[in-house]
């Protein structure tokens, strides 16, 4: 059964749930999650009440970057299942009124993709120009340090160019050397991508989450970047939001999305996109994408790089999120997220994952879901899953962490210091298996999990959460229900209050004669918000993470308390 919808705007009241398939549920005991495992667990998502599942890549892949390196866009990796399993997943989701959003990774392919294999085979191969091939820097021999065509650093450490001895040229890879960048200047590349996307839509999927999609247009001439501490250049000004990006997205929209029976949901992952960029990307009149994932709020607790940690200051977080709310108030739309497969667990990062785990997880959920935009829940977030107690470097699996460790230690950094930032910020924190119950591998697998289960699964798990009506799970369920039933949550205006307050996050939402006040205490001590609350003390308490069902706001917030109040004029 296909979901057909004539309501072009259905996604504005929707909540999306992200599945990282490797770590969600394993049906065959090989220790790696798969599509059958996901299908078996769909009732969990239905109970939570989400509308859309975003599925991280399940395509055929050598798994150098856990599936973000794709060698066949139109087949499923045997680790995860088959095309028939995807068809069953689509049917099972649609039966439950949910939709499927696929990950679309087209800034790069795997180096094992037949396109790249051909491209690499000779300098005059018809697909040579499908990727970025360049000779060594003038006057230098290929393979020598510094002979790379530009000084750009890869996101996964080291130079963004790999030397190919056979042809004497370098190819560009902004991520790992097994992820060569496609050349979007070549119209054949764009047409091949469009055809592949139409094939998936014809198969019944409902949308695309577009991986680093604002990196696909590179500046002509590929200029060098400013040299950084690593000794390599920052190429980002030359490929983030590049010169032809809007043209490429508008063309994709025209060629793939327009004229279909149902509105296709699209979200662009866009590191380095400013609010002004986002207005252009998400203006419905321009027909590019519905919303973007910004990174600005993920940058508030680090200095130069994501590994240089600084403590969170709440005013900085409020300033960023408040600016995005205001910036997209009239034109465009926000996506809202704390967690995904690339970020450490928010409850460990912005909350208190010890004594106040449940409270701070429910507080974070409340704050996020009461903003204007489309909220994303990352698997396990609805259970209040925390960072993992990682040990030495041999306990990490992620290529980004492993490469960073090798590079930083190689440049003389203190290994303990490097490890401590990996433990706080490494992507493996998000990738430990979902904790379904308190059995030895948390009900994730009957085999040996590819990444160990967090030892706190005897307490933190889905079975326990579903049985406890005060759990993080039920709080998220209530938040999702609010968005579906109370129009001001999805559509109301947003006004930030107390921007400088170090512990209280406060804002209002309003639509017609209904107004909400959201108050959240980001601390482990009770506080009295410095706010004129006249007119709110007898308002209805719509949601309270401390005393569900409480009758009124007393003017005081308990540790990590989050309240949603409603009044009508
Ligand atoms: C962003 C994805 O979210 C991340 O997991 C991946 O490593 C890079 N893009 C490269 O595809």
């Amino acid at each position: 059964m296909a979901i057909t919808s004539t309501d072009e705007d259905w996604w504005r009241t929707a909540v999306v749930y992200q599945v990282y398939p490797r770590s969600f549920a394993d049906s065959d005991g090989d220790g790696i999650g798969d599509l059958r495992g996901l299908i078996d667990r769909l009732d969990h998502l239905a109970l939570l009440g989400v509308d859309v599942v975003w599925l991280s890549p399940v395509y055929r892949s050598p798994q150098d970057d856990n599936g973000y390196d794709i060698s066949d866009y139109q087949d499923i990796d045997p680790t995860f299942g088959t095309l028939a399993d995807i068809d069953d997943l689509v049917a099972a989701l649609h039966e439950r009124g949910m939709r499927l959003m696929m990950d679309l990774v087209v800034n790069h392919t795997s180096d094992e993709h037949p396109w790249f294999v051909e491209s690499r085979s000779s300098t005059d191969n018809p697909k040579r120009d499908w990727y970025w091939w360049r000779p060594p820097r003038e006057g230098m021999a290929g393979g020598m340090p510094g002979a790379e065509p530009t000084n750009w650093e890869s996101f996964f450490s080291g130079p963004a160019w790999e030397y190919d001895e056979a042809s004497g040229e370098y190819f560009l890879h902004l991520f790992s050397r097994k992820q060569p960048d496609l050349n979007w200047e070549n119209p054949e590349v764009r047409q091949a991508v469009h055809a592949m996307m139409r094939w998936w839509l014809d198969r019944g999927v409902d949308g695309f989450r577009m991986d680093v999609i604002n990196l696909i247009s590179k500046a002509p001439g590929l200029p060098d970047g400013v040299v950084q501490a690593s000794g390599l250049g920052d190429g980002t000004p030359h490929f983030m939001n590049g010169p032809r990006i809007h043209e490429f997205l508008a063309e994709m929209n025209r060629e793939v999305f327009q004229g279909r029976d149902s509105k296709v949901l699209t979200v662009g992952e866009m590191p380095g996109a400013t609010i002004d960029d986002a207005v252009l990307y998400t203006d419905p009149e321009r027909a590019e994408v519905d919303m973007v994932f910004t990174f600005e709020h993920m940058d508030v607790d680090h200095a130069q790089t994501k590994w240089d940690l600084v403590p969170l200051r709440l005013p900085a977080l409020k300033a960023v999120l408040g600016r995005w709310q205001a910036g997209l108030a009239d034109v465009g739309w926000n996506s809202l997220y704390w967690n995904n497969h690339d970020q450490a667990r928010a409850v460990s990062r912005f909350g208190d994952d010890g004594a106040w785990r449940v409270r701070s997880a429910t507080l974070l959920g409340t704050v996020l879901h009461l903003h204007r935009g489309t909220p994303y829940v990352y698997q396990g977030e609805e259970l209040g899953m925390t960072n993992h107690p990682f040990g030495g470097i041999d306990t990490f699996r992620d290529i980004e962490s492993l490469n960073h460790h090798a590079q930083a230690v190689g440049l003389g950094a203190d290994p303990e210091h490097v490890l401590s930032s990996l433990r706080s910020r490494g992507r493996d924190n998000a990738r430990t298996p979902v904790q379904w119950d308190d059995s030895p591998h948390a009900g994730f697998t009957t085999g040996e999990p590819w990444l160990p289960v967090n030892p706190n699964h005897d307490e933190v798990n889905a079975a326990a959460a579903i049985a406890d009506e005060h759990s993080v799970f039920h709080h998220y369920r209530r938040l999702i229900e609010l968005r579906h039933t109370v129009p001001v949550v999805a559509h109301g205006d947003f006004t930030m209050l107390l921007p400088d307050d170090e512990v209280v996050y406060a804002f209002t939402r309003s639509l017609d004669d209904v107004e909400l006040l959201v108050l959240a205490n980001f601390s482990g001590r009770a506080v009295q918000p410095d706010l004129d609350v006249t007119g709110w003390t007898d308002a209805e308490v719509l949601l309270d993470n401390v005393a569900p069902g409480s009758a009124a706001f007393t003017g005081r917030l308990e540790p990590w308390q989050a309240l949603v109040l409603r009044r009508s004029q």
Side-chain angles (χ1 to χ4, degrees), residues 378-500:
Y378 176 66
Q379 63 185 38
E381 176 179 342
E382 80 283 15
L383 308 176
M385 276 179 60
T386 64
N387 278 355
H388 185 83
F390 284 102
I393 189 62
D394 56 329
T395 60
F396 291 88
R397 294 285 171 277
D398 176 28
I399 183 168
E400 181 192 49
S401 293
L402 300 177
N403 286 2
H404 168 66
H405 182 266
Q407 170 165 302
V409 172
L411 287 170
D414 170 13
E416 239 341 283
H417 181 74
V418 177
L419 275 175
S420 103
S421 53
L422 292 188
R423 290 186 195 116
S424 306
R425 289 303 147 72
R427 306 193 297 181
D428 282 332
N429 282 301
R431 300 175 179 187
T432 62
V434 171
Q435 297 162 207
W436 295 104
D437 58 37
D438 61 3
S439 67
H441 294 309
F444 165 71
T445 182
T446 53
E448 201 48 46
W450 73 278
L451 196 61
V453 169
N454 195 310
N456 66 12
H457 73 273
D458 33 348
E459 186 204 333
V460 183
N461 65 67
I466 289 169
D468 170 7
E469 70 166 296
H470 301 307
S471 65
V472 182
F473 180 88
H474 287 295
H475 193 83
Y476 268 71
R477 190 178 54 69
R478 285 188 278 269
L479 285 167
I480 294 165
E481 196 180 304
L482 275 191
R483 176 162 295 264
H484 290 154
T485 54
V486 179
V488 63
V489 174
H491 303 292
D493 293 342
F494 177 101
T495 307
M496 187 70 85
L497 306 173
L498 305 179
D500 301 323

Side-chain angles (χ1 to χ4, degrees), residues 81-296:
T82 64
L83 281 170
D85 294 332
I86 274 281
D87 294 341
D88 288 352
L89 173 65
V90 169
L93 283 167
H94 288 181
E95 258 164 41
R96 290 166 174 82
M98 292 185 271
R99 291 171 159 90
L100 181 62
M101 181 159 80
M102 295 295 273
D103 220 303
L104 179 83
V105 189
V106 289
N107 173 68
H108 44 269
T109 66
S110 162
D111 66 340
E112 296 181 34
H113 193 293
W115 296 345
F116 186 76
V117 173
E118 270 195 56
S119 181
R120 160 175 240 169
S121 65
S122 76
T123 50
D124 55 8
N125 183 277
K127 289 211 168 54
R128 185 67 170 182
D129 182 51
W130 281 40
Y131 294 83
W132 293 91
W133 289 99
R134 290 289 182 276
R137 206 174 271 268
E138 229 183 294
M140 296 188 80
M144 283 174 57
E148 292 83 13
T150 75
N151 66 358
W152 300 353
E153 178 163 30
S154 134
F155 287 105
F156 290 163
S157 307
W161 295 91
E162 181 73 3
Y163 186 54
D164 175 53
E165 292 237 358
S167 64
E169 290 189 331
Y170 286 85
F171 66 85
L172 175 68
H173 61 89
L174 294 181
F175 293 88
S176 99
R177 55 167 66 95
K178 286 187 67 62
Q179 292 169 299
D181 279 51
L182 279 166
N183 175 14
W184 277 69
E185 298 293 319
N186 185 325
E188 289 175 13
V189 168
R190 307 204 296 276
Q191 284 153 14
V193 169
H194 299 158
M196 173 272 283
M197 294 173 75
R198 285 190 294 260
W199 184 87
W200 277 107
L201 291 173
D202 292 345
R203 213 168 176 108
V205 310
D206 308 286
F208 296 102
R209 172 271 184 188
M210 304 175 182
D211 191 71
V212 291
I213 199 70
N214 65 330
L215 310 189
I216 60 178
S217 166
K218 277 82 174 166
L222 310 181
D224 276 337
V226 175
V227 177
Q228 315 161 89
S230 63
L232 290 166
D234 172 14
T236 60
H238 310 303
F239 55 72
M240 276 178 176
N241 312 302
R244 297 184 70 189
I245 183 63
H246 293 291
E247 175 196 335
F248 291 161
L249 289 176
E251 179 189 54
M252 176 192 283
N253 192 301
R254 238 181 6 255
E255 296 294 319
V256 183
F257 308 138
Q258 288 175 24
R260 303 203 71 96
D261 291 346
S262 275
K263 159 87 184 91
V264 178
L265 177 61
T266 56
V267 50
E269 187 206 24
M270 301 212 182
T274 63
I275 295 172
D276 290 346
D277 295 323
V279 169
L280 296 177
Y281 287 129
T282 66
D283 176 355
E285 296 286 303
R286 296 170 54 91
E288 296 184 15
V289 293
D290 296 323
M291 56 191 133
V292 309
F293 288 136
T294 166
F295 281 68
E296 263 196 69

Side-chain angles (χ1 to χ4, degrees), residues 1 6 14 17 30 37 42 74 76 81 116 128 160 180 186 235 353 400 430 435 443 475 497 519 533-534 544:
M1 183 187 69
T6 45
Y17 185 95
D30 68 354
L42 288 187
Q74 290 174 226
I76 302 299
F116 186 76
R128 185 67 170 182
N186 185 325
D353 64 4
E400 181 192 49
Q435 297 162 207
H475 193 83
L497 306 173
L519 295 169
V533 291
T534 328
D544 179 350

